[in-house]
Amino acid sequence: MRSNRAAELAELSLEEQQERAWAKVLRSASAYEQSSARMHAKLAAAGFAPDIVAFALEKAQRLGVIDDTRYAECLVRSTASAGKGMELIKREIRGLGLCIDDLEAYQEYLEAGEDAQIDAAVDLLTRHPTRAKDKRAAGLRKLISKGYSMPVASRAVAIWSDGV
């Protein structure tokens, strides 16, 4: 399927390919915030040649349609508001060439303190309790899979399991 799309795109002029790639960027970015890495993967998967992908991404970044810092800020805020930990998204943010410590949203998350993180983790376990026999181990696995650090997950599980 991908080779068919690539073949169809190859039949178009350079300008038409660039227009199609740019249109895809605009459609994707208007739906929700995009990172340059994710948009690169989408364009490549759609069959666009590397030079067309580079053209579309450069234009999107130059015009502010795609901004990795803005994306990372949004990612941190949405992760925190969803009651999840930050461990999983740290890798993605590093992959964008950014330092999570430089993000305003992450500093706000840290300022809320570890107690707020523990409260969110306990709330997650309370809303979605495990049915496993070993509730502590299952709760710990759940929190780690949701991006909580080991210290936060351990304290939250201890608090949660005392109430169960």
Side-chain angles (χ1 to χ4, degrees), residues 11-156:
E11 293 175 5
L12 300 175
S13 71
L14 178 64
E15 292 77 22
E16 290 172 318
Q17 291 178 49
Q18 290 173 338
E19 286 175 22
R20 286 203 182 175
W22 177 241
K24 182 163 184 67
V25 168
L26 289 177
R27 281 191 310 274
S28 294
S30 68
Y32 56 90
E33 199 67 53
Q34 299 285 327
S35 70
S36 59
R38 193 170 289 184
M39 195 69 244
H40 184 281
K42 284 183 178 188
L43 292 171
F48 290 101
D51 58 328
I52 302 298
V53 171
F55 165 83
L57 286 177
E58 185 279 325
K59 183 175 181 179
Q61 290 172 324
R62 182 172 34 87
L63 296 176
V65 173
I66 292 179
D67 181 324
D68 284 340
T69 301
R70 187 178 64 223
Y71 169 80
E73 293 279 358
C74 181
L75 183 61
V76 168
R77 283 192 173 92
S78 64
T79 300
S81 69
K84 296 180 181 177
M86 296 292 157
E87 296 304 307
L88 298 175
I89 66 166
K90 285 180 180 180
R91 188 174 330 131
E92 181 176 355
I93 290 171
R94 274 193 306 269
L96 296 172
L98 302 173
C99 176
I100 195 167
D101 293 321
D102 294 339
L103 300 175
E104 182 180 316
Y106 186 66
Q107 291 307 314
E108 291 168 4
Y109 174 79
L110 292 177
E111 285 172 14
E114 191 173 89
D115 288 342
Q117 296 171 39
I118 292 168
D119 289 345
V122 170
D123 183 57
L124 177 70
L125 291 173
T126 303
R127 285 184 291 117
H128 304 283
T130 179
R131 296 179 185 167
K133 288 182 183 180
D134 186 351
K135 294 194 180 302
R136 283 178 162 264
L140 190 63
R141 281 192 306 274
K142 179 178 273 191
L143 292 178
I144 296 298
S145 75
K146 295 294 184 183
Y148 286 98
S149 67
M150 183 59 83
V152 168
S154 296
R155 285 193 48 208

